[in-house]
Amino acid sequence: LSLEEAKAWCLAGNSCYFCGLPGTGKSWLARAMGASAEIRFVQSSFAEWQAAGHLGHMLAAMRQSFAEAIEKKPAILFIDEVDAAGSRYDTDNHNSSYRRQVINAVLEQIDLLMREEGVLLIGACNDIHNLDPAILRPGRFDRKVQVPLPGKVEIAGILRSRLPAEFSLSDIDDLARAAIGMTAADVDAAVRQAKSIARSQNRMPGLHDLRTLIGYSHSEADQALDWRIA
């Protein structure tokens, strides 16, 4: 998923949500959209609103985030981990009244926001199956963007931007191939850990550091197995 593709999805409507595994870069992508378009970026989450206190304080914090996005427009309002809202149809009756009031409130705020021009609403979630269907319907979150695990090209791009120039393109290509299946966050964490190890030994990070952390394996037996799979 490119930044241009994500922007096109959003510009086709007033809202969208990114769905994918943890660590695939949903929050990063939303922030990058705001930076590339040079517009204000307002970020919040249900966890942040709930940290404000009891139900009244929580709803006030929610309304403040929506009001801030409108005040700063053109802007992006990004709600992270939107699936934390839950569903009014959840069979678990524990805190059902609280959950219903929270969901009704966020539906009201989204409807008010959709009447405003100049604010893009973006949500991010790991699992949409537990989310109230009224939140996901068109007119609230219009578009769904699936954010997959990065492929070899995307991983190579991450490594090139995070590693010293001493790493050759061939080295980065091999590392990217070995890292397929990792999330963007996993790759970034491996690079940071390699730099930390090297710093503790008063040296620059080397290829062997990344090979160890990424689980690199490049024996002749592995190559033979790759050929058989192909």
Side-chain angles (χ1 to χ4, degrees):
L1 178 71
S2 69
L3 180 59
E4 291 73 19
E5 288 172 330
K7 287 173 66 177
W9 275 92
C10 290
L11 293 174
N14 294 321
S15 58
C16 76
Y17 66 95
F18 298 147
C19 184
L21 295 173
T24 48
K26 300 181 292 296
S27 302
W28 178 89
L29 183 57
R31 287 193 296 270
M33 289 173 60
S36 67
E38 298 182 348
I39 61 176
R40 303 288 184 86
F41 186 80
V42 179
Q43 179 171 351
S44 195
S45 67
F46 281 88
E48 182 178 334
W49 295 333
Q50 288 165 347
H54 61 69
L55 179 61
H57 290 160
M58 187 270 189
L59 297 181
M62 177 195 297
R63 295 188 183 101
Q64 177 58 37
S65 295
F66 280 84
E68 181 183 355
I70 293 173
E71 181 183 352
K72 292 181 176 180
K73 65 180 186 180
I76 287 176
L77 174 58
F78 175 59
I79 304 176
D80 202 4
E81 308 296 348
V82 70
D83 44 342
S87 173
R88 292 166 296 180
Y89 307 104
D90 195 325
T91 55
D92 182 4
N93 292 324
H94 183 64
N95 289 332
S96 61
S97 176
Y98 177 91
R99 185 168 56 245
R100 180 173 294 275
Q101 293 180 74
V102 168
I103 293 175
N104 286 342
V106 77
L107 293 176
E108 176 190 29
Q109 291 302 306
I110 292 175
D111 289 344
L112 291 173
L113 189 70
M114 291 299 100
R115 301 174 193 170
E116 297 284 340
E117 292 184 353
V119 180
L120 288 176
L121 175 65
I122 302 177
C125 63
N126 300 327
D127 183 8
I128 64 172
H129 299 98
N130 295 323
L131 192 55
D132 196 283
I135 296 179
L136 296 178
R137 74 158 176 80
R140 289 181 177 133
F141 284 105
D142 294 319
R143 303 281 184 175
K144 173 186 176 182
V145 178
Q146 189 73 35
V147 183
L149 290 171
K152 180 182 173 182
V153 173
E154 291 75 25
I155 294 173
I158 295 172
L159 293 172
R160 278 195 300 270
S161 67
R162 303 282 282 116
L163 292 175
E166 287 76 13
F167 283 78
S168 69
L169 293 178
S170 176
D171 290 339
I172 288 178
D173 186 74
D174 286 345
L175 288 170
R177 181 176 180 277
I180 291 174
M182 298 175 69
T183 68
D186 290 334
V187 175
D188 185 66
V191 172
R192 285 187 284 108
Q193 189 174 353
K195 290 181 176 180
S196 177
I197 292 172
R199 189 163 49 248
S200 68
Q201 299 175 3
N202 196 28
R203 61 176 175 80
M204 294 293 291
L207 185 60
H208 62 282
D209 297 314
L210 269 300
R211 283 179 171 176
T212 300
L213 294 167
I214 289 178
Y216 183 95
S217 177
H218 199 61
S219 67
E220 291 185 3
D222 294 322
Q223 294 181 44
L225 179 60
D226 289 343
W227 278 105
R228 288 184 64 188
I229 293 172

